[in-house]
Amino acid sequence: MKGAGYILRKKASLTTEELEQINQYTRRPFQEGELYTFSVVLCDNEVDRDGERFTIEALHRLGELFLGKTGIFDHNPQVQNQAARIYACQVEQLPGRVTKTGEAYHRLVARAYLPRSQKNETFILELDSGIKKEVSVGCSVAKRSCSICGADRRTGGCDHVKGRTYHGVLCCTVLEEPTDAYEWSFVAVPAQREAGVIKNFSEKEDWNMEEVWKSLSGEGELLLNPEERRQLAKEFADLREQAACGRQYRKELEKSLVRLCGIVSPEVPMEVMERTARTMGLEDLREFEKAFHKRAEQVLPLTPQLAPMEKRDVEEYRDFEI
């Protein structure tokens, strides 16, 4: 038996592929409106409360073994305790995050479903509200070894103690070569801190970019379906276009400031002013450019070449021509 998991609370709309995956386990075809789905982190490669961790290869194997497995409560394998069934699994890496052992962080995320019914209304409410969140998995592995010396933990082949550090390396039990996955269960305290229901974002009207940014900044967990990824990609594309316009605007301000400085204070070397302009904040850059423009008007009127001439200027121009 091995603990793990937490749940992604908000369901996403189902794709045609997902409906096909679900209907492999049903006696008749179900439509989206008849189903409630959610995502759940079953386990990861982080060192858990028991001083054990799965290898990344083990997570991939568990992903195969957990397909079709039923979620229950408190590891009590009775019919009335069946809550949901897994229809898809995938191992994900969270960029930039590492485990206590220095390995890139990976987690096994499953998608589960249950029918919408009067009986399940309370359970669905508990999932959405985050009351039912933590989960634990039951599985068996063929290999349990010491992370320090590689000795078989089943036979007690070494004296290394889990949780202690030896020459800068954290001692834990490495779980490898899963042979079976029995079930996954809703529990109060999972062995793995990161295991359970996690947030998901729908492409429907409740799509909230503020929630996405919060998750991307590390304040939450994020799992996106293909349509949501397209929406997020579009958002990034729009932001890149706006950023390009902003960079062009700033570049023009810098050029204008350097040019005006050459008029107002020609003793300041151009390269010095260029470096100074590059270090300014946008608001400071605008204020300096505005002030230099006023001073330059006093030194050398910056009248456009094709601007209409005053009557006096016209007469002076004619006299000069004569």
Side-chain angles (χ1 to χ4, degrees), residues 66-216:
F66 269 109
L67 282 176
K69 293 300 190 296
T70 301
I72 57 177
F73 296 102
D74 295 318
H75 298 295
N76 189 353
Q78 297 185 16
V79 173
Q80 63 268 28
N81 281 336
Q82 291 180 300
R85 191 176 299 277
I86 290 174
Y87 65 88
C89 287
Q90 68 176 18
V91 174
E92 337 181 298
Q93 177 184 352
L94 297 190
R97 181 171 173 179
V98 296
T99 66
K100 294 177 182 177
T101 61
E103 188 175 46
Y105 179 80
H106 288 70
R107 64 185 186 180
L108 175 59
V109 179
R111 291 283 291 167
Y113 76 92
L114 65 151
R116 289 184 176 275
S117 65
Q118 186 174 358
K119 175 186 174 183
N120 288 332
E121 283 183 1
T122 300
F123 179 47
I124 291 174
L125 180 60
E126 291 175 331
L127 287 173
D128 283 342
S129 64
I131 301 302
K132 289 290 191 299
K133 178 179 180 181
E134 291 78 18
V135 303
S136 177
V137 298
C139 63
S140 60
V141 296
K143 189 175 180 181
R144 302 164 60 91
S145 59
C146 173
S147 63
I148 303 299
C149 64
D152 189 347
R153 288 290 196 184
R154 298 177 187 275
T155 61
C158 74
D159 296 325
H160 296 118
V161 180
K162 291 189 296 184
R164 291 187 182 178
T165 301
Y166 298 86
H167 303 292
V169 179
L170 177 66
C171 180
C172 63
T173 297
V174 182
L175 307 177
E176 302 177 84
E177 301 176 14
T179 58
D180 198 3
Y182 311 127
E183 43 79 18
W184 54 285
S185 179
F186 289 91
V187 295
V189 183
Q192 290 200 329
R193 297 172 177 81
E194 297 291 337
V197 178
I198 47 181
K199 290 181 180 178
N200 194 21
F201 298 90
S202 168
E203 74 262 35
K204 294 183 178 179
E205 293 181 354
D206 58 0
W207 170 264
N208 188 333
M209 284 306 301
E210 290 186 6
E211 294 181 11
V212 176
W213 296 128
K214 183 181 293 186
S215 295
L216 291 175

